[in-house]
C-alpha cells in the first residue's frame, strides 16, 4: 500500500507545476482550516499564549495567515519529491556560504541548528550542492511505516543529503567521518523526557519552555562549532538562509549558552514574522517541571544581540 501511494500519488503530484500545487494547497487550506479545523484550537491557543497583548481578532487573522502558509509549504514539500538540484538551489540560496570555507579547508565538521520555521526541507536539500566540500547530514524522525520511511528517505537523499535517524545519533558521532560534515539539527521539538538534567529550560514566547539539550551536548562532546540557520521567505516558494555564528569554541562556553543562543534567535524571528513557524506543534503540552521557573531567575547566557 505504501508503494502504491508513493508511486501513484506522491511522485505524479510532485511533477505538477508548483502554481498548480499551490492551488491544490489553497483547497486544502479551505478544507483543513475552515471545514475540518485541523488542529485549529492548538494553533489558536499557541498564538494566544505567545502574544498575550493581541486581540482575539488579531489572533484569528494570524491563524489564517499561518494556515495559508502551512498548506503552501505542504505543496512545496510535495514538489521536492521530483525537484532537481539546480531548482532547489534557485529556491533556497545561502547568503554567506563563505563563512564555512575555513572549516572545510581545516577538515572540521560544524553543527547547524534551526527551527521549524519556513521551509527547512528545501534548505536541507539545497545544502549538499551549495557546500560540496562537506557531507551534509540532517537528523530526522523515522515514519512509523518502514516501507514509506525507506522510500521517502531514499528520495530525500538523492541530492546528496545524508539522513540520520534520531535514534542513531550516537552511532553517527561514534563513527570516523570520511570528510567534514555540516550536521543539521532542527531543535525546537518538545522534549520527550522531562528529566531536569536532559532538557534546557528557557523563557520563550512568554512561557517557561523546555528545549532539547542534545545538540549542545553533542557540540561540546565532539567540539563542533555551532551556527544558527536563519531562514526567511524571499518570495512565494523562494527562501534565503543566513548562517549566524553562535560559538567557535563550544567547550569554553557556559553550560546552556549554546541552547539559549538558539532559543533567543528563534524567538526573535518568530516575533518578527510569526507566520512561517509550525504553530500546529503542541509545543507546551508537557507543562513545566517543578522548580524550572525558579531556576531560570537571574540567568543571562547571552552577551550579544543577533541581527540580520
Amino acid at each position: 500500500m505504501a508503494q502504491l501511494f508513493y508511486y501513484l500519488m506522491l511522485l505524479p503530484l510532485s511533477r505538477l507545476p508548483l502554481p498548480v500545487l499551490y492551488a491544490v494547497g489553497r483547497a486544502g487550506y479551505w478544507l483543513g482550516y475552515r471545514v475540518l479545523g485541523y488542529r485549529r484550537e492548538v494553533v489558536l491557543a499557541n498564538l494566544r499564549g505567545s502574544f498575550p497583548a493581541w486581540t482575539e481578532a488579531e489572533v484569528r487573522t494570524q491563524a489564517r495567515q499561518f494556515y495559508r502558509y502551512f498548506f503552501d509549504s505542504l505543496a512545496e514539500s510535495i514538489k521536492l519529491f521530483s525537484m532537481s538540484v539546480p531548482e532547489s538551489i534557485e529556491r533556497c540560496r545561502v547568503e554567506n556560504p563563505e563563512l564555512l570555507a575555513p572549516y572545510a579547508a581545516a577538515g572540521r565538521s560544524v553543527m547547524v541548528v534551526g527551527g521549524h520555521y519556513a521551509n527547512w526541507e528545501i534548505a536541507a536539500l539545497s545544502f549538499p550542492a551549495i557546500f560540496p566540500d562537506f557531507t551534509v547530514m540532517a537528523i530526522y524522525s523515522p515514519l512509523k511505516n518502514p516501507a514509506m520511511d525507506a522510500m521517502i528517505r531514499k528520495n530525500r537523499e538523492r541530492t546528496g543529503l545524508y539522513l540520520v535517524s534520531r535514534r542513531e545519533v550516537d552511532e553517527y558521532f561514534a563513527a570516523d567521518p570520511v570528510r567534514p560534515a555540516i550536521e543539521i539539527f532542527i531543535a525546537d521539538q518538545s522534549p520527550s523526557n522531562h528529566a531536569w538534567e536532559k532538557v534546557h529550560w528557557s523563557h520563550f514566547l512568554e512561557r517557561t519552555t523546555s528545549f532539547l539539550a542534545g545538540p549542545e551536548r553533542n557540540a561540546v562532546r565532539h567540539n563542533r562549532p555551532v551556527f544558527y540557520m536563519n531562514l526567511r521567505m524571499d518570495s512565494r516558494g523562494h527562501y534565503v538562509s543566513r548562517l549566524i555564528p553562535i560559538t567557535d569554541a563550544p567547550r569554553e562556553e557556559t553550560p546552556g549558552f549554546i541552547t539559549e543562543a538558539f532559543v533567543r534567535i528563534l524567538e526573535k524571528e518568530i516575533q518578527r514574522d510569526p507566520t512561517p513557524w509550525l504553530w500546529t506543534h503542541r509545543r507546551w503540552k508537557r507543562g513545566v517541571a517543578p522548580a524550572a521557573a525558579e531556576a531560570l531567575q537571574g540567568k543571562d547566557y547571552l552577551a550579544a544581540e543577533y541581527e540580520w
Side-chain angles (χ1 to χ4, degrees), residues 31-222:
L31 180 65
Y33 175 65
R34 296 190 175 274
V35 178
L36 300 178
Y38 170 70
R39 293 203 173 186
R40 184 166 54 199
E41 292 309 313
V42 173
V43 172
L44 292 172
N46 283 344
L47 286 169
R48 291 182 190 117
S50 299
F51 301 97
W54 283 6
T55 65
E56 186 63 18
E58 289 173 322
V59 167
R60 290 184 177 273
T61 295
Q62 182 58 66
R64 289 192 293 273
Q65 291 174 354
F66 160 72
Y67 274 99
R68 282 193 287 268
Y69 175 76
F70 176 71
F71 283 99
D72 269 5
S73 68
L74 287 181
E76 292 164 4
S77 294
I78 290 172
K79 187 63 181 175
L80 290 179
F81 283 97
S82 61
M83 186 178 288
S84 67
V85 171
E87 185 177 358
S88 72
I89 298 173
E90 190 268 333
R91 289 192 175 276
C92 186
R93 63 185 178 87
V94 178
E95 198 174 67
N96 55 346
E98 71 282 353
L99 220 59
L100 300 190
Y103 301 98
R108 192 177 182 191
S109 296
V110 300
M111 183 178 293
V112 172
V113 293
H116 287 90
Y117 190 89
N119 199 322
W120 62 92
E121 283 195 323
I122 290 182
L125 286 180
S126 68
F127 268 38
I130 295 172
F131 298 101
D133 295 327
F134 289 93
T135 296
V136 179
M137 180 276 278
I139 307 297
Y140 85 109
S141 295
L143 299 176
K144 292 181 180 179
N145 185 307
M148 180 62 73
D149 180 71
M151 285 183 287
I152 290 180
R153 178 171 178 165
K154 181 179 179 181
N155 180 278
R156 292 300 193 245
E157 290 185 332
R158 65 189 165 80
T159 66
L161 180 67
Y162 174 45
L163 292 175
V164 172
S165 164
R166 59 183 176 81
R167 304 186 189 100
E168 299 170 349
V169 174
D170 290 342
E171 290 84 347
Y172 164 81
F173 280 109
D176 290 328
V178 176
R179 62 186 194 140
I182 295 173
E183 297 154 352
I184 301 175
F185 284 74
I186 302 300
D188 58 344
Q189 302 95 325
S190 180
S192 58
N193 191 326
H194 256 46
W196 175 265
E197 68 276 8
K198 293 187 178 181
V199 300
H200 173 91
W201 291 94
S202 182
H203 190 70
F204 174 71
L205 294 178
E206 304 295 332
R207 279 160 287 190
T208 301
T209 308
S210 59
F211 282 85
L212 296 167
E216 175 169 339
R217 186 167 57 248
N218 281 304
V220 173
R221 184 179 297 164
H222 304 287

Side-chain angles (χ1 to χ4, degrees), residues 69 91-93 117-119 229-235 238-242 244 265 268-269 272-273 276 306-308:
Y69 175 76
R91 289 192 175 276
C92 186
R93 63 185 178 87
Y117 190 89
N119 199 322
M229 180 179 68
N230 219 355
L231 187 63
R232 296 181 181 177
M233 186 168 68
D234 211 14
S235 60
H238 292 82
Y239 298 86
V240 56
S241 176
R242 183 175 182 83
I244 298 176
I265 303 170
K268 191 171 183 178
E269 281 296 287
R272 181 192 65 85
D273 182 6
Y306 293 86
E307 300 290 350
W308 184 10

Side-chain angles (χ1 to χ4, degrees), residues 269-308:
E269 281 296 287
I270 294 169
Q271 292 170 338
R272 181 192 65 85
D273 182 6
T275 299
W277 197 49
L278 192 60
W279 292 100
T280 53
H281 181 40
R282 299 178 189 272
R283 187 66 187 79
W284 292 276
K285 63 184 177 182
R286 301 185 189 280
V288 180
E294 181 181 348
L296 281 173
Q297 291 181 4
K299 280 195 173 182
D300 183 14
Y301 294 113
L302 293 185
E305 289 289 324
Y306 293 86
E307 300 290 350
W308 184 10

